[in-house]
Amino acid sequence: MNNDSSIYTVKKDLNTHEYILTVSNGKDKVQTIFVEAYTPDKTKLKELLVFARGNKRTMAQFAKDCSDKNKCRENKTQINPPVLSRIMQENDIKRPLKAGLIQAMLNNADDKTLVTPANLMRANGLIEKKLPNEDDLSFNNYMEPAMTQDCEIKPFSDRYNQVDEERAIEDIETELASKGFKFLSFPNAGSDSFTVEDGKIKDNTPNRYDLDMDLDYVASVEDKKGKKFIWGFVFDGNEPEDIGSGELIYEELYYEGYYRDMDEPEFGMADDVIEKNSKILLRVLLDPSSMKGINISFVCQNRIWYNWAVESLHDVTVDNYISVILIQGRKIVSEYTLGNKNGKHPKCLLGEFRIYDGEDRYERDADLVDGKLEYYLLPPSGY
């Protein structure tokens, strides 16, 4: 096994979705930020896993080494053989591997000349983040990226990963098109109601209380009768029910009949939906006339976040179209529209109306590990 003394730490910022790679060698530490840009290359991931395992270990032994905290003081992730088996089978991998698995592969690789941060990050669809005033970086599959010496990582200004947002917009546009709506280009055609400044959407719509809405995306939508209206979206960054690092909100494990369900708010949600979107909700309540012709949707890809958001908004009454949308598997599976003072809810334009989403969208599979059949669940994908 390669005797490289470097220790790699990979963490995912749950607010920005950036992957922060730290390379430690004695007292020296170097950090690089990576962002999601492409669909992972499952063939390349398989190749790198083979190089990481080497010829002297089985996949089960490699998984055990990756989970051994004594071999890497930074390792806090339990790596299961079925997870590695999915990579070897080149199963459909739509998102980057978990930060803990990337870290474990780097620290326990047999061939560290090929299993490098540059190669592994690129295979996961991640590229080095371009820093202000920095020239474009060339990023070849087998080229080590230049490391920034600044170890103080500042949060990226965008709230959520741009790739996630673009996928969510595609899913929404597809659903609207299937129902006869036209999803027009941003910003609203023939209007300066919303503009883009410094990469962020600026709300120029007049209102009495100077409550500018903090939206992630705005579109102009036209219905079957030719009526146009504005639709503003806020995208939540929580991934589907499979997150750790203080944000574990849903976990189901099957192992020889063992079952566990943690569908409880205390496992959840770093940001309350009302607090996070207070300006929008205050404006809807205090100055509803300023919202005429504007729909608002809070979009998520996490089932428990959806349920919690609906519960939080259940007693809020509005005269406008305000909804919570759940996207899983690139489909809009649930939508909840806020009711008016008479208790009536507008007909959902995107998904099935659900006050509570209790669907289990995990895929169940099994692998033979050390002669025993091990059952596990594959988490749902989002946008």
Side-chain angles (χ1 to χ4, degrees):
M1 186 175 294
N2 192 295
N3 292 321
D4 186 351
S5 60
S6 297
I7 299 295
Y8 297 97
T9 304
V10 182
K11 295 182 180 179
K12 184 176 181 181
D13 189 308
L14 298 177
N15 293 316
T16 66
H17 284 203
E18 296 170 344
Y19 289 75
I20 303 173
L21 168 71
T22 304
V23 183
S24 302
N25 197 333
K27 296 181 179 180
D28 298 327
K29 289 187 177 181
V30 179
Q31 287 189 325
T32 309
I33 306 175
F34 293 85
V35 294
E36 188 177 354
Y38 311 104
T39 300
D41 186 334
K42 56 187 178 182
T43 301
K44 183 65 67 177
L45 284 174
K46 177 182 177 180
E47 291 178 2
L48 291 173
L49 177 56
V50 171
F51 289 130
R53 182 198 64 190
N55 297 322
K56 298 181 180 180
R57 288 182 289 187
T58 66
M59 202 58 72
Q61 289 171 333
F62 180 62
K64 183 177 179 180
D65 287 344
C66 286
S67 303
D68 189 343
K69 295 180 180 180
N70 293 324
K71 293 189 176 184
C72 177
R73 64 179 183 272
E74 297 289 347
N75 186 42
K76 299 178 181 179
T77 303
Q78 182 73 28
I79 307 300
N80 296 315
V83 175
L84 304 181
S85 177
R86 279 180 54 78
I87 301 174
M88 291 299 296
Q89 294 168 14
E90 295 190 45
N91 286 356
D92 192 18
I93 300 174
K94 298 179 180 179
R95 306 299 299 276
L97 301 179
K98 292 297 183 65
L101 178 52
I102 296 174
Q103 172 180 301
M105 288 179 64
L106 289 171
N107 284 317
N108 294 278
D110 181 79
D111 188 343
K112 292 190 176 183
T113 62
L114 289 177
V115 186
T116 64
N119 295 345
L120 193 51
M121 291 300 196
R122 181 63 183 84
N124 276 287
L126 301 166
I127 64 172
E128 188 175 345
K129 176 184 171 182
K130 183 180 178 182
L131 300 175
N133 302 320
E134 184 178 13
D135 293 334
D136 288 334
L137 297 171
S138 60
F139 203 102
N140 299 322
N141 278 348
Y142 292 103
M143 182 180 292
E144 195 72 35
M147 297 284 187
T148 172
Q149 297 296 326
D150 184 4
C151 292
E152 182 181 356
I153 302 300
K154 297 181 180 180
F156 192 42
S157 59
D158 293 338
R159 256 192 301 182
Y160 305 119
N161 186 293
Q162 184 177 355
V163 176
D164 290 351
E165 181 179 302
E166 290 173 353
R167 278 196 289 251
I169 293 166
E170 288 176 4
D171 299 337
I172 293 168
E173 183 176 3
T174 299
E175 186 64 31
L176 284 172
S178 71
K179 297 180 178 179
F181 290 87
K182 292 181 180 179
F183 197 83
L184 305 180
S185 60
F186 169 81
N188 189 31
S191 170
D192 58 357
S193 299
F194 294 91
T195 55
V196 178
E197 295 184 9
D198 297 326
K200 292 186 177 182
I201 296 175
K202 179 175 174 55
D203 176 12
N204 301 313
T205 56
N207 67 93
R208 291 187 294 169
Y209 298 96
D210 196 26
L211 292 168
D212 297 341
M213 293 180 288
D214 189 10
L215 300 171
D216 292 323
Y217 191 82
V218 178
S220 175
V221 179
E222 183 178 320
D223 64 17
K224 296 178 182 179
K225 297 180 180 179
K227 181 181 178 181
K228 295 180 181 179
F229 57 93
I230 296 172
W231 204 324
F233 299 94
V234 177
F235 299 102
D236 178 70
N238 288 292
E239 294 185 4
E241 302 85 74
D242 193 44
I243 280 187
S245 302
E247 249 184 326
L248 176 61
I249 52 186
Y250 184 68
E251 179 180 299
E252 292 180 303
L253 300 175
Y254 280 75
Y255 183 75
E256 296 182 348
Y258 177 65
Y259 176 76
R260 178 158 62 118
D261 184 2
M262 298 191 296
D263 190 352
E264 296 292 339
E266 60 258 33
F267 287 96
M269 309 343 334
D271 297 313
D272 181 84
V273 65
I274 292 181
E275 180 180 348
K276 178 181 173 183
N277 301 289
S278 58
K279 283 187 177 181
I280 297 174
L281 296 171
L282 278 173
R283 181 166 160 182
V284 170
L285 295 172
L286 299 176
D287 193 6
S289 62
S290 71
M291 299 292 292
K292 185 177 181 180
I294 302 177
N295 288 9
I296 299 292
S297 289
F298 306 118
V299 185
C300 65
Q301 56 183 342
N302 188 293
R303 186 179 66 83
I304 308 306
W305 191 97
Y306 174 87
N307 291 334
W308 197 9
V310 171
E311 182 179 349
S312 299
L313 297 169
H314 191 264
D315 295 328
V316 178
T317 58
V318 298
D319 295 325
N320 308 81
Y321 189 100
I322 310 291
S323 74
V324 182
I325 295 170
L326 173 63
I327 299 178
Q328 289 198 327
R330 301 303 303 271
K331 295 181 180 179
I332 298 173
V333 294
S334 294
E335 184 177 16
Y336 173 82
T337 50
L338 276 63
N340 59 26
K341 295 179 180 179
N342 297 321
K344 294 183 178 180
H345 298 261
K347 181 180 179 181
C348 293
L349 299 180
L350 284 167
E352 180 180 349
F353 180 84
R354 289 187 179 181
I355 295 178
Y356 179 84
D357 187 302
E359 292 292 326
D360 174 8
R361 300 184 181 90
Y362 278 69
E363 295 180 15
R364 291 157 179 76
D365 208 340
D367 253 337
L368 195 63
V369 180
D370 295 333
K372 292 184 178 181
L373 199 61
E374 181 173 318
Y375 295 90
Y376 58 96
L377 292 172
L378 306 178
S381 61
Y383 24 77

